[in-house]
């Protein structure tokens, strides 16, 4: 069985995840998330967390 879900970050489609067996694979629909392309996750929520991490500004060392 294959399932697919859209991952949205701030009302913008980041990509889709497709379930293949036990894993979910990320496919970017937005170039901003291209570095996640083909990455596997154990759950949709873990894929969303990874996509959200790309939108956070980098913390600067003091």
């Amino acid at each position: 069985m294959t399932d697919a879900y859209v991952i949205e970050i701030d009302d913008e489609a980041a990509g889709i995840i497709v379930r293949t067996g036990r894993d979910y694979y990320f496919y970017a629909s937005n170039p901003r998330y291209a570095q996640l392309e083909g990455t596997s996750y154990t759950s949709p929520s873990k894929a969303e967390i990874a996509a959200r991490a790309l939108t956070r500004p980098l913390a600067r060392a003091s």
Side-chain angles (χ1 to χ4, degrees):
M1 179 181 207
T2 301
D3 297 311
Y5 304 93
V6 175
I7 299 292
E8 290 186 357
I9 308 298
D10 298 328
D11 295 325
E12 175 181 74
I16 62 167
I17 55 169
V18 178
R19 184 177 183 172
T20 305
R22 293 183 179 184
D23 295 323
Y24 294 85
Y25 291 88
F26 187 92
Y27 298 96
S29 60
N30 183 316
R32 183 177 192 179
Y33 304 94
Q35 71 187 66
L36 300 178
E37 184 77 24
T39 305
S40 66
Y41 299 94
T42 56
S43 70
S45 61
K46 289 185 179 182
E48 183 176 348
I49 289 167
R52 285 191 183 283
L54 292 179
T55 65
R56 291 187 197 124
L58 295 175
R60 294 187 180 185
S62 299

